[in-house]
Structure formats: C-alpha cells, structure tokens
Amino acid sequence: MKPNILFIHVDQMHADMISALGHDQLNTPAMDRLVREGYTFSKAYCAMPQCCPARACWYTGRMSKEHGVVVNGYPIDPDIPDLGQWLRREQYDCVYTGKWHVSGRELHESFEVLQPEHGMGEINDGNVARSAVAYLQNRTDDQPFFLNVGFLNPHDCCFPALPDGGPGKYAFAPAIESDLPPLPDNFNDAYAENGQPAIRDWSRRDWQYYIYQYHRMVEMVDAEIGRVMDALRASPYAENTLVIFASDHGDGAGFHANVSKGFLEEEAFRVPTIAWWPGHIPAHVQDSDHLISSVDIAATICDYAGASPLPKTTIAKSMRPLFEQSNGPWRDYIVGETSIGPLSAAIVEERYKSIIFTDHTRLYDLQNDPLEIRDLANDPDHAETLARHRAHFRAYIAQIEMYPEPDNVEEMDLARGNLYREYTDWYTSVLNEA
Amino acid sequence: MPIDTATGPHAVKPIRELLTRFTPVQKAVSDLDNATLTYDILNWTFGPRTPPPAPNTVYGSLTIRRQSTPSATLYHIQQKTHIGGQATQLNAELTCDLNDTLQSWTLNTHREDADGNPVPISILREVGQNKNGHIQSQDGAYEYQASNTLLSHWSLPHLLLRNALALPSAFDMLQDLSVLRANQSLIDEGPIDLDSGTYTAYAQTGEGILPTHYLLDDRQRPQLVTFGLIAWALTDIM
C-alpha cells in the first residue's frame, strides 16, 4: 500500500531554532516531538535561500539555475513538471493549503487548493492549519494523499525588519525588557568589511528585540505544526503517512548582524529538515553525517510514492537509504547558489565550506568555526581545500542542465534585470577554467 | 519610556505614535456581566510613514457576547473573515467558571463557496474541555497541559472591561480554542494619550505571541487590541 505523504513547510526558519536541539530562548513542543519521534538532519541546506527559487527546487527536484526561478518572481520553466502533477499520475490525491509562491505556476494547475495563500502568517497560518485538520477529518477517498501544508511564519519577521518599518505593529513592551535574548556570538557590526553589507542601522537592543520577536514567531508556527500533527496522529492515517518537515530557507536572526535571507552563510542557507514515520523511519536520530540538499525532498517523496524520479533531476537523491540505514555511498559535498546581491555559490563538505563569488572566495572550517567568524581563504595552508572546492564547483556546473536565457527575455518584466545572462556567463567562464 | 525612539527601527517604537487616527466608540454599556463587544478585525498597517487616510483593511468581524448565569459564564463567539477571496465562518460556545476560567467549548468553522454555502471538505467541529489544567479535545486531536489559569483570548477584553485588576498575574491562553499559548502575563502600562483621548494600556506578553496591547478608555471599554499584523477595533458595545 502506498503511503500518504504530508509535507509541512515553514518559511524563513533558522535551522537551530528548535528547543529540542538545544535552543534555550524559545519553546517549540511540536517540533520537539517531531525531533523525538523522527529523523533530523543537522546538515540540511536549501538549494537557494530565497522563497520562490527554494520552493521551485522543492517541487521540481531541480537546482535554481535549472528550473529558471533564479530569484523571486522569475518564472519557472513551464515544461518542468512539479510534484503535484507528477504524483497525480500515481493516483495520489494532491492537495495544498497555504503558501505556494512558485513564480510562474498557478497552484491550482498542480493541486487541489484548500486555503489560499496570504502574505501574512499571523493572519492566515491558523486557517491553513485548520484547513489541513478538516481535510484529514473529512476526506473519504481511498486513494493515498499528498497533502502539502505551507505555513508562512516565521516569515512575518520581514515586516519589522523593513527599513521603513513596514506594515504591522511591533511595539515594544517594557515587560519584555528583561527577557530580551543575547546577541549571537558572531554578531559583528563590522561584518561589512568582510563583504556582506551591514543592512540595518540598529542599536544592539533593536537587534535583541528583532530576535525576541523572531523567537515568538517560531513559537507561533510551532503551535500550528502541532495542530496538524495532532490531527494526523488521531486520524486513521497515522500509521501510513510519511511526514517531511522543512523550511524553504533560514533567516539572519542577528547572526553576522544580519536579517532576512539571500546569502549563503549558515543562518540563511541551512534549514531544519525532519522526516517522521513511526515504524518506518528511525526515531530520535540526529544525523550530522550526511549532507542534504532541499532538492532531495522531491526525490524522497517520489521514491516513497513509488513514482519514477522527476525528469532531469541532476543533483537530488532520495533520503530513503539513509532512513533504512543501508550503507551505500552518499555525496561528499553539496552546492547552494544565490542571485541576491552579488552572484555566489557555496560548496559545503563535511568540514569545510566556501562561498564563491565572481571575484573572490571565502572559506570556513565549520568543524572548528561553525559560526563562520574566521575566513581562511587567504591562509596558504588551505589552498588545497580552496582548489578542491573550485573543482567541485566546476563539476557541479558541468553536471546541471543550465537554464538558458529565454528568447523573449527583453519582453519579460524582470525586477532584477537579465540574471540569466549573468549566471550563464559566470558559470561558463568557471567551466572554461578547466 | 525612552526606547530608541530617535534612532531605532519601527520595531521598537512605542505604540502611541501609531495611533493618532483611531476613533473610539462612545456608546455606554449598562450590564458589564452580560455585554456584547463587536470588533472589526483589521489587517494592521499603521506605520509612521503611512500617509492618511489610513490604509488598514478590515478583513473580518468578531462578536463576543458574554452571558452570566448563576453557575457558569458563557461566551458566544461569531467571527467571519475574508482571506484570499474566501470567506470563513467561525462560531464557538465557551463555558467558563465564575472566574472566567475556560472549562469546555464547542467550535464550528467552515469556508464558504462563492454562493455562501459551506465547502464540505472545510467543515470542522471541535469539542474540548479543561479538567484541572488537562486540556483535551473530544476526538483526541489535541491535548495540552496548562500550568496556569486557562483563559480564552476571546474572553480577555471582557475581563478587562469588568475588572482588569482581577486578572491573574500569570495565565495560559487557548487561542482559537486549539492553540495553547503558555505563560502569559498582562501588565498595566499606564496612560497613553492619543488625539481621541487618554487610554489605559495593558500589555500582554508570553510564549507564542508578540506583545499585545489592549487600550481601555476611561470607562474601561477595550477600544483597541493590537497584535502584530492584526488589530481588533471596537465598533459596537451593548
């Protein structure tokens, strides 16, 4: 019997903001229970740390430079099927509630829609949860379901972080003065000197307040996750449903004095990823040995659904062998990309990570410097590592099927100009280094 | 209280500068124990640089009717919201003890189709109870343990209207009757002067919520409740 599949995702959640993973400034009982009962990856990375590209990667199993959504708003390659379309062929009841945000594709083309998306999590996440609970209680179909629950929070953190204040009321309350969290150990007002722009002219207490409200938004969405999981556990589907929980990308959350996303430092790039299916997926495992890319989620879902892999997936690997603890080979590195700000790509190995820009590279030893404070790129002792990462980058470019500049690019209303030409030129030049 | 008002971001500016355009309800209420509060639910977009007229969008309405009986306090809730082109109806009946501690409840909700009919797949009925802090839904769909007095977020404006001083110093809150917000507290922040008058502000803080402000006028009417992106603005009281 094919399993049901429940894919719960949140938006802009920092990978470590789960109390069961050791965070002591917030309380996340629902995600804690997922950690206890499920298989948690501590080295899972999004394919690109921005909403539309990351989501297109989830649902196509392709990297951002393959499906065309290289930055928010750029349209997806219309010829690439997504998971909804793909699993419908396998007789799955493909249902979606909440945030979609895959630019260029209407959600109803791929899924039955329960609750439409809305740009503010505080307004809609409760309805999203309730729609999923109602679906689980009311459905009468015999076919397996592929239910996607797209929560928006903690993405609402974007509003108080807007330079002009943005919408909403994020007023301080004196009562929380003593509850403000400490700043991260790598909080660094001078990070701009390292190439990352300091984007907010805030006092230290402003930063503490930002982090405080971010924690509360994580708690908000945690409660909604719990609501859906509780309904699943109480339903007839509890024993035959694979649950995957993930975030599309992380958030600066004050690390490196950063907010938001789009950059390849760990806080925005690394994401929470948990799989749950009691009796089928080992419980209480925290896997720090295997590097996971968010495109692997599509491959895993296809695998469990008994579907062939999505077409033209080049990087994605099913996580199922890891859950079944078969000792096959896994990848040695993963690649992430971004087109926000300067074009860049990250290579992450078990120990070292480089962030490659068009004109320079930064290198970090994640084992000894997980907060990425010391750039080792100019250290001669690490020249070999740098060269190896450059070779990985070339191999990656050679492996993917680069989405070409569309013929009608001049007619397209692209907010950030012709990024297609920028990355194809850069990637081609890197490839030609060989 | 000076909190980075000169240089800080909007995130930490005090609420008062955002509230210059609010018009309060003047109607009197005769029976505080059996009052009905009606609110517009706003998508709260007041901002310091937002020019008038205020762009706040009313996306729903909420009526909270309190009914006092010799043995219990009842709350009757009606809420309708419009999100993404879809209307959602929510009706709830709450039974509380005489101190307004939540004891049991029934909630019915559904989305409406274009003709105003319930969408079958969206129909949800939840029945729950609180027994000495053990919160459980009848169908076993959720279960929590409260460590403090359990209140509904819908009863809080009434509690403030009747006697803010009687509120427990710490409480747990069941939001939408299905999400537990633990370890809440409410403090008197003192008077706040707006163009429309002077209000007493109470601030609620705790797990899973942003600081929430309740603004009470000189007759203790809770005129405005501001969450993060949502606000309740009083439109009627009786």
Side-chain angles (χ1 to χ4, degrees):
Chain A
M1 185 165 63
K2 289 187 175 187
N4 303 300
I5 297 166
L6 170 57
F7 182 18
I8 301 175
H9 43 81
V10 295
D11 195 316
Q12 202 155 325
M13 182 176 152
H14 189 286
D16 294 336
M17 300 228 175
I18 298 176
S19 40
L21 299 181
H23 202 291
D24 61 1
Q25 297 289 322
L26 40 67
N27 186 20
T28 54
M31 288 186 278
D32 291 353
R33 188 170 174 190
L34 275 176
V35 168
R36 284 196 307 274
E37 297 177 352
Y39 192 111
T40 305
F41 291 99
S42 53
K43 290 182 179 173
Y45 292 85
C46 61
M48 178 171 161
Q50 195 187 29
C51 295
C52 292
R55 288 157 185 276
C57 295
W58 271 343
Y59 282 95
T60 65
R62 308 197 89 191
M63 300 297 285
S64 67
K65 301 300 188 290
E66 295 182 295
H67 54 54
V69 189
V70 294
V71 76
N72 273 357
Y74 280 47
I76 191 170
D77 181 344
D79 295 329
I80 300 179
D82 59 56
L83 277 174
Q85 297 164 347
W86 204 242
L87 264 58
R88 273 181 174 164
R89 299 182 187 187
E90 303 295 327
Q91 308 308 313
Y92 269 81
D93 184 19
C94 295
V95 183
Y96 204 105
T97 182
K99 177 162 179 174
W100 168 243
H101 212 192
V102 175
S103 42
R105 183 154 304 175
E106 295 293 332
L107 176 55
H108 61 77
E109 294 174 10
S110 308
F111 294 90
E112 176 193 349
V113 181
L114 301 178
Q115 178 70 22
E117 63 183 324
H118 185 282
M120 296 175 173
E122 188 182 341
I123 287 175
N124 204 35
D125 278 354
N127 290 317
V128 169
R130 190 159 271 146
S131 69
V133 172
Y135 172 79
L136 291 169
Q137 292 190 2
N138 294 330
R139 73 184 301 270
T140 54
D141 298 344
D142 290 332
Q143 64 191 116
F145 64 76
F146 174 36
L147 172 60
N148 296 259
V149 180
F151 292 118
L152 186 60
N153 263 328
H155 181 278
D156 284 352
C157 66
C158 291
F159 299 120
L162 287 172
D164 66 354
K169 180 278 301 178
Y170 294 95
F172 195 86
I176 61 172
E177 182 77 50
S178 59
D179 294 333
L180 294 178
L183 295 172
D185 289 343
N186 66 357
F187 184 88
N188 179 1
D189 293 316
Y191 197 61
E193 295 173 10
N194 295 329
Q196 186 70 36
I199 56 174
R200 298 293 181 272
D201 183 21
W202 289 352
S203 71
R204 289 194 165 234
R205 192 165 73 158
D206 297 339
W207 278 103
Q208 287 178 279
Y209 181 75
Y210 175 82
I211 300 166
Y212 173 90
Q213 59 86 30
Y214 185 83
H215 290 165
R216 303 291 81 76
M217 288 175 184
V218 171
E219 290 172 342
M220 277 185 205
V221 78
D222 178 77
E224 305 298 351
I225 293 164
R227 207 160 152 183
V228 175
M229 285 302 300
D230 286 350
L232 175 68
R233 290 185 181 101
S235 77
Y237 314 111
E239 293 182 357
N240 192 37
T241 300
L242 163 69
V243 177
I244 294 179
F245 165 73
S247 178
D248 56 355
H249 51 75
D251 181 76
F255 291 86
H256 294 111
N258 242 323
V259 294
S260 198
K261 63 272 191 179
F263 43 92
L264 292 165
E265 280 75 5
E266 293 285 282
E267 53 269 20
F269 183 28
R270 199 161 55 84
V271 286
T273 303
I274 305 173
W276 177 98
W277 188 7
H280 297 263
I281 290 179
H284 215 176
V285 175
Q286 291 184 35
D287 183 340
S288 57
D289 295 331
H290 297 98
L291 291 160
I292 299 298
S293 169
S294 60
V295 292
D296 298 337
I297 288 174
T300 306
I301 288 173
C302 287
D303 190 351
Y304 277 101
S308 56
L310 282 154
K312 297 183 178 180
T313 48
T314 54
I315 304 297
K317 294 168 73 77
S318 170
M319 295 179 265
R320 187 170 184 170
L322 306 180
F323 302 143
E324 295 178 350
Q325 298 176 309
S326 56
N327 295 316
W330 194 248
R331 59 170 67 94
D332 296 325
Y333 65 92
I334 59 111
V335 179
E337 301 161 294
T338 187
S339 313
I340 300 177
L343 284 178
S344 55
I347 307 292
V348 185
E349 295 178 321
E350 183 181 2
R351 177 171 178 180
Y352 291 102
K353 168 184 174 182
S354 55
I355 303 176
I356 302 172
F357 298 85
T358 55
D359 57 353
H360 70 290
T361 297
R362 295 205 296 262
L363 178 69
Y364 297 102
D365 178 352
L366 293 179
Q367 186 175 302
N368 295 307
D369 179 24
L371 292 176
E372 300 167 290
I373 294 171
R374 185 168 174 237
D375 179 5
L376 302 171
N378 294 319
D379 182 339
D381 290 345
H382 293 91
E384 191 178 322
T385 303
L386 269 183
R388 186 175 66 249
H389 284 199
R390 192 77 180 180
H392 288 334
F393 188 33
R394 278 197 300 275
Y396 166 77
I397 295 169
Q399 189 178 356
I400 65 171
E401 184 183 53
M402 218 185 318
Y403 188 68
E405 179 182 321
D407 293 337
N408 64 339
V409 69
E410 301 300 333
E411 302 160 16
M412 298 168 73
D413 183 21
L414 299 171
R416 295 177 60 86
N418 190 351
L419 278 173
Y420 306 107
R421 189 171 301 170
E422 280 188 48
Y423 72 73
T424 52
D425 285 354
W426 183 35
Y427 281 16
T428 303
S429 71
V430 172
L431 205 54
N432 289 337
E433 290 171 4
Chain B
M1 177 179 178
I3 44 173
D4 302 330
T5 52
T7 60
H10 174 57
V12 293
K13 287 187 178 180
I15 189 171
R16 64 195 65 207
E17 70 180 79
L18 308 179
L19 296 176
T20 56
R21 287 164 287 178
F22 174 66
T23 304
V25 169
Q26 296 298 342
K27 201 169 162 185
V29 57
S30 55
D31 182 357
L32 294 178
D33 290 340
N34 294 282
T36 299
L37 305 175
T38 302
Y39 289 96
D40 275 344
I41 305 175
L42 304 175
N43 181 354
W44 177 252
T45 56
F46 270 117
R49 298 177 193 176
T50 308
N56 295 321
T57 306
V58 176
Y59 75 94
S61 62
L62 169 66
T63 300
I64 311 169
R65 181 163 70 88
R66 187 180 193 277
Q67 181 184 359
S68 181
T69 75
S71 59
T73 304
L74 309 178
Y75 282 94
H76 311 277
I77 311 297
Q78 287 183 303
Q79 179 179 288
K80 185 167 188 177
T81 53
H82 297 264
I83 296 171
Q86 290 193 356
T88 299
Q89 289 274 8
L90 184 152
N91 296 291
E93 303 293 326
L94 285 61
T95 302
C96 304
D97 67 12
L98 295 177
N99 295 317
D100 280 54
T101 300
L102 190 55
Q103 301 294 316
S104 62
W105 55 92
T106 301
L107 178 146
N108 290 286
T109 181
H110 64 263
R111 291 195 311 282
E112 293 180 349
D113 64 18
D115 298 323
N117 300 314
V119 176
I121 197 73
S122 73
I123 296 172
L124 186 64
R125 175 181 173 82
E126 293 179 333
V127 179
Q129 63 178 359
N130 167 31
K131 283 197 171 176
N132 300 317
H134 185 69
I135 303 161
Q136 192 170 25
S137 66
Q138 192 178 61
D139 58 6
Y142 57 86
E143 196 172 358
Y144 305 112
Q145 187 63 44
S147 49
N148 301 293
T149 299
L150 184 68
L151 302 176
S152 160
H153 76 305
W154 285 312
S155 66
L156 279 162
H158 276 279
L159 289 164
L160 289 165
L161 170 68
R162 295 172 66 246
N163 184 3
L165 297 177
L167 268 165
S169 58
F171 58 94
D172 289 353
M173 182 176 81
L174 200 60
Q175 188 167 348
D176 287 347
L177 295 174
S178 46
V179 176
L180 185 69
R181 309 294 192 198
N183 300 317
Q184 305 293 307
S185 63
L186 193 73
I187 63 161
D188 180 350
E189 289 192 302
I192 180 169
D193 293 321
L194 306 179
D195 290 352
S196 54
T198 299
Y199 299 83
T200 300
Y202 289 86
Q204 181 188 343
T205 59
E207 289 180 18
I209 68 161
L210 297 177
T212 300
H213 292 83
Y214 300 80
L215 269 62
L216 276 58
D217 64 16
D218 57 356
R219 294 185 183 185
Q220 303 302 304
R221 290 172 296 204
Q223 295 278 359
L224 193 64
V225 185
T226 69
F227 305 91
L229 292 159
I230 299 172
W232 294 348
L234 192 67
T235 58
D236 194 16
I237 186 169
M238 57 185 196

